[in-house]
Amino acid sequence: MKKQLLHLGLVLLMGCSATAQNKDAIKYGQSITKDNAHKHLSVLASDAYEGRETGKKGGWMAADYIKNHFKGLGLKGPVAGDYFQPIDMVTISLSQVLTIDGQPAEVLQDFYVAQQVVSGSGFAFNTNSIVFAGYGLATDGYDDFSGLDVTGKVVMIFKEGNPSGGTVSGNASSALNAKLKYFNDHKASAVLLIDAAVDKMSANLKNYLLSEQMVMKTKENLERMNKPQPMPVINISTAIANKLFVAAGTNADALKKKIAESGKPASQELKISLSASANKIETKVKTDNVLGFLEGSDPKLKKEVLVITAHYDHIGVNPNAPGDDKINNGADDDGSGTTGVLMIAEAFAKAKKAGRGPKRSILFMTVAGEEKGLLGSEWYAEHPVFPLENTITNLNIDMIGRGDKEHASDNNFVYIIGSDMLSTDLDRIGKKANKDYVNINLDERYNNRTDPNRFYYRSDHYNFAKHGIPVIFYFNGVHEDYHQPGDEVSKIDFPMLAKRGKLVYFTAWELANGLKRPRVDKNDDGSIKK
């Protein structure tokens, strides 16, 4: 009797185990392999693609490769019949001029204007009088502004330091912001900051100041860009300041010494002509999200859409990188995730051709501009091709080809982030799919909003989550080649890339074929909805 009952129990358990797996899901997922992954990634992360930077040749090549793959699978182009969703994006650079008594100064040697402090189309001014206001401080027993009226005046101050000749204690940035606020509140027309950093400008600072700012023309960004400029702020070298101090027969060092020794301000008006301008130059950037659409088979459920994403862009070429290799190939970040999306799309496309397609629709989307600030996914969220209210979940793949030092002894893992942030249903479905089909160690150490790394906020899923759409972010952690030329195809763990890709695929299968969409039962702060 006991033996027979035990045998019957085993049969029942085996039966339960079998029914937990869908034979069609397993059959059509067989194309998600290490060899298929290598085929795609060896192209996308090759030197020929030049690091796939947004708005550059390599990025366009990657977009074309993905489009052709989607088209070859028979996926639909859902953007008015096309696979590309154009992003309204521009780069902004500054044309800067500064002259003293008609003599031009040299940008990045004598002065600079930070692009971030210029709004609208730019500024231009000229003056025959400059007010020197020492360190721009007003404290007990010392007041650089005593007897000064800065209204409508160009004001010059030392950016750093204090009347005693030492350094300013506390946060230097906050101290400077307080000074600039004073001048803005008192309606100064412009501020010149005597900045020692300009005297010996580092290569990194020069590269930063010369870099173009990439901006999407969203409503919010346009409002910010066109907001009236409070006042121009120009950082100048000590040499340029001394050319201005000639009008008073002195120089910067002499004034610092005088203030330190007397303990009194040396504020004064300098009669000298100066003109300055900074004009923004906008250049249109060609960049697109790449979308492939597979329509669901169920007449009632096909309006609901599962979105599977990865970003195909990376950071391009760095001419200043040490060594001979200057190309940031981005094999793991995020060539691996893009490869995962291509393979998952192929598996579902084969299922549909065989009459076993998903009940709900699936949008496969590789986005641009993630490395510039999650721009492509933000653009889609603000200009959705399918209504966000019909979007049931976003599964986002960003780095699944390697591992980190925390898992050096066993790479059979993946970090999952966000799965229980908004929906307990999604969390359950994702973990059950792993248990039923893949059996990867699901590491949730970063699955919280207070993680110092802020991974929940640092990839494209967040632009869905902030609209109340449940998400899962799949991630293999940061390694020593993160954003470095060493992120090469040769270092990819292709069996694990395929295995992690299968986890996303099987999770997607369950979501696309489930009786109900995942219920959003949590608020944005993680509290349970009532």
Side-chain angles (χ1 to χ4, degrees), residues 220-236:
E220 180 181 348
N221 282 342
L222 288 172
E223 289 175 353
R224 177 179 57 80
M225 290 163 61
N226 294 322
K227 188 177 179 180
Q229 172 70 26
M231 62 185 179
V233 178
I234 305 173
N235 293 58
I236 63 173

Side-chain angles (χ1 to χ4, degrees), residues 276-294:
S277 65
N279 297 310
K280 284 187 175 180
I281 302 170
E282 288 190 7
T283 305
K284 176 69 178 175
V285 176
K286 172 179 166 44
T287 190
D288 307 274
N289 294 328
V290 191
L291 285 65
F293 181 65
L294 187 139

Side-chain angles (χ1 to χ4, degrees), residues 68 411 526:
N68 290 335
N411 204 32

Side-chain angles (χ1 to χ4, degrees), residues 469-528:
I469 296 169
V471 302
I472 306 179
F473 170 28
Y474 301 89
F475 175 53
N476 61 215
V478 175
H479 44 73
E480 66 274 10
D481 293 316
Y482 176 70
H483 281 200
Q484 300 296 323
D487 187 4
E488 299 270 11
V489 174
S490 60
K491 297 180 180 179
I492 295 296
D493 182 344
F494 281 100
M496 277 311 302
L497 193 166
K499 192 172 185 180
R500 291 164 181 150
K502 282 192 173 184
L503 171 61
V504 182
Y505 162 75
F506 287 120
T507 304
W509 187 281
E510 297 299 321
L511 289 166
N513 290 292
L515 292 176
K516 295 181 179 180
R517 62 188 288 175
R519 185 167 63 96
V520 178
D521 56 1
K522 291 187 178 181
N523 297 305
D524 187 55
D525 61 1
S527 61
I528 301 297

Side-chain angles (χ1 to χ4, degrees), residues 282-419:
E282 288 190 7
T283 305
K284 176 69 178 175
V285 176
K286 172 179 166 44
T287 190
D288 307 274
N289 294 328
V290 191
L291 285 65
F293 181 65
L294 187 139
E295 187 176 35
S297 61
D298 188 297
K300 293 182 179 180
L301 295 179
K302 67 180 182 180
K303 71 175 183 179
E304 297 182 354
V305 182
L306 168 66
V307 180
I308 304 176
T309 56
H311 71 90
Y312 71 87
D313 67 306
H314 195 52
I315 60 175
V317 179
N318 178 9
N320 298 312
D324 296 329
D325 190 359
K326 310 295 183 183
I327 300 174
N328 295 286
N329 299 80
D332 192 27
D333 184 15
D334 184 29
S336 63
T338 301
T339 294
V341 171
L342 299 184
M343 293 193 296
I344 295 166
E346 180 179 349
F348 275 105
K350 286 181 176 179
K352 176 156 185 167
K353 287 179 183 177
R356 295 291 188 269
K359 295 177 181 179
R360 291 180 177 83
S361 299
I362 304 178
L363 176 64
F364 303 94
M365 179 166 63
T366 61
V367 298
E370 192 271 355
E371 302 289 5
K372 306 293 185 181
L374 313 186
L375 300 184
S377 54
E378 180 184 354
W379 184 263
Y380 180 85
E382 293 194 8
H383 305 84
V385 175
F386 301 97
L388 293 184
E389 59 266 27
N390 292 348
T391 301
I392 67 165
T393 296
N394 169 231
L395 302 179
N396 181 48
I397 318 171
D398 192 347
M399 300 171 62
I400 56 167
R402 290 180 62 169
D404 61 10
K405 64 181 181 180
E406 303 295 334
H407 299 84
S409 62
D410 184 3
N411 204 32
N412 183 46
F413 86 100
V414 69
Y415 293 112
I416 57 168
I417 301 171
S419 68

